[in-house]
Amino acid sequence: MTDTLKILSGNANIPLAKAICQYAGVKLGECEIVKFSNENLKVKICDSVRGQDVFIVQPSCPPVNEGIIELLIMIDAAKHASAGRITAVVPYFPYVRSDKKDEPRISITARLMADLLQTAGADRVMTMNLHSPQIAGFFRIPVDHLLAGRILCEHFKKCGTENTVVVAPDAGSAKRAGAYAVRLGLPLAILDKRRHDDTESPAIQNVIGDVKGKRALIFDDEIATGGSILEVVKALDNLGVTEISACCVHAVLSANAPERLRNSSLNQFVVTDSVFIPEEKKFDKMTVISVAEMFAKAIMYTNRGTSISGLYNGY
Ligand code: R5P
């Protein structure tokens, strides 16, 4: 079956797609993506994909909306080129935080994304650390929801976890952080974060658990403006922790997040390469852990029709 495997990439995160191909032992398929003067896009898959098992790698990265259209057009191109099966590989799912109707007259945009991928012709979806796992249920096609927990915890085990407490930045992330704590054999503390509006400035109200005199390890699914993590860092500093590491799966790093994180009292900041991180957004405290091998394995196992559940237990 492996000879039918074809991996293609949009423009969102080509280094990740290339790294996945390297682990999978295949060459990244060639595509021409042209943007016309009227901003319309044309995608041409350069080699035949007739009957093949096509995986299109395109996480949500800036420019987000253009990346979504590019992915949809690539799926459509593969469909019209008679691909045997098409899997949208979206390590960071677009509009993943827009997963519920928590205000009147708003869109559940993650659900819309699910509909669009299916309408374009995706047969399967492969993603990682969804903001809420229920998003997988927005689809009528199979979704492989990979989790970065194992590789992230391996990193922290290597760094040493003596006198450390895992900190959940809000009640919503307590289950996820709890799974990390179990995996690392560490206690858990939960912060009570409230976001009152769309200003992206949350406030910490209370802390459940013992953090004083300990090293803190904060886990979150994504970091955008850095507002949530920095609020947690401030609260933990006031509560007398001795050292703070933060780990966020998806490094969106919008606005001036890198600068604010660099200037904060954070000791270590760990992310994955699910989102492309330009050099100018990297800084000395940052460690980037690649998820390429995990995606390569998931792609190869899916292609062979073997189980991938071993790749995503825990968070
Ligand atoms: C929120 O529910 C998420 O889990 C993250 O905490 C949030 O997306 C981070 O965003 P920011 O860095 O802008 O605070």
Side-chain angles (χ1 to χ4, degrees):
M1 281 286 277
T2 317
D3 57 331
T4 72
L5 172 61
K6 186 72 135 191
I7 302 179
L8 306 174
S9 177
N11 282 311
N13 194 345
I14 294 172
L16 176 64
K18 285 188 173 162
I20 291 173
C21 286
Q22 204 167 356
Y23 279 112
V26 297
K27 208 168 152 267
L28 183 62
E30 262 186 65
C31 291
E32 275 173 26
I33 303 175
V34 179
K35 188 172 180 178
F36 297 110
S37 59
N38 63 1
E39 297 196 6
N40 289 9
L41 296 178
K42 182 184 100 176
V43 171
K44 181 176 175 181
I45 302 168
C46 299
D47 301 310
S48 170
V49 290
R50 186 171 293 270
Q52 296 198 357
D53 195 9
V54 176
F55 293 80
I56 303 174
V57 181
Q58 183 83 328
S60 177
C61 302
V64 169
N65 295 327
E66 186 157 324
I68 293 163
I69 292 292
E70 202 178 85
L71 173 60
L72 296 173
I73 296 176
M74 288 184 81
I75 294 170
D76 191 59
K79 194 88 194 162
H80 288 293
S82 305
R85 183 172 68 174
I86 303 166
T87 302
V89 182
V90 276
Y92 177 49
F93 194 79
Y95 286 89
V96 74
R97 278 165 68 181
S98 180
D99 60 355
K100 58 193 159 308
K101 192 161 181 226
D102 52 4
E103 282 176 55
R105 300 174 299 282
I106 63 165
S107 160
I108 305 172
T109 317
R111 167 64 206 245
L112 174 63
M113 294 298 120
D115 288 345
L116 290 173
L117 289 175
Q118 290 169 106
T119 301
D123 298 297
R124 309 180 59 88
V125 170
M126 192 175 281
T127 187
M128 184 176 73
N129 287 80
L130 291 167
H131 184 57
S132 53
Q134 295 89 327
I135 292 170
F138 290 176
F139 290 87
R140 299 298 306 167
I141 54 175
V143 176
D144 289 314
H145 182 198
L146 307 186
L147 299 166
R150 185 178 49 79
I151 50 182
L152 296 174
C153 289
E154 272 165 19
H155 168 82
F156 285 107
K157 274 185 192 156
K158 274 188 221 145
C159 296
T161 55
E162 304 75 33
N163 193 33
T164 302
V165 56
V166 170
V167 177
D170 55 32
S173 62
K175 191 171 171 201
R176 191 165 52 218
Y180 286 114
V182 168
R183 195 179 270 277
L184 290 167
L186 296 174
L188 174 70
I190 302 167
L191 302 187
D192 176 18
K193 177 185 85 174
R194 314 249 169 120
R195 202 184 284 272
H196 298 291
D197 51 31
D198 281 341
T199 58
E200 304 195 48
S201 332
I204 305 285
Q205 314 273 335
N206 295 299
V207 182
I208 305 158
D210 186 15
V211 294
K212 194 175 164 89
K214 293 187 187 266
R215 296 158 75 203
L217 186 46
I218 311 162
F219 281 104
D220 211 348
D221 57 333
E222 65 169 68
I223 182 156
T225 62
S228 307
I229 289 291
L230 290 171
E231 193 63 28
V232 174
V233 168
K234 200 165 76 184
L236 291 174
D237 273 338
N238 291 336
L239 289 162
V241 299
T242 56
E243 200 182 297
I244 309 172
S245 296
C247 179
C248 303
V249 178
H250 305 295
V252 179
L253 295 172
S254 49
N256 58 350
E259 196 188 328
R260 294 169 74 206
L261 292 163
R262 187 192 299 118
N263 297 333
S264 74
S265 58
L266 261 183
N267 296 83
Q268 197 189 177
F269 177 61
V270 178
V271 292
T272 77
D273 57 354
S274 63
V275 175
F276 175 70
I277 309 171
E279 282 308 310
E280 64 272 18
K281 285 195 177 178
K282 294 183 180 163
F283 51 97
D284 50 357
K285 297 173 192 173
M286 183 193 282
T287 302
V288 183
I289 297 181
S290 183
V291 293
E293 185 176 1
M294 182 170 65
F295 273 92
K297 283 183 178 163
I299 287 171
M300 289 188 293
Y301 296 174
T302 302
N303 174 246
R304 290 181 206 138
T306 53
S307 169
I308 70 159
S309 57
L311 295 174
Y312 57 78
N313 53 7
Y315 271 89

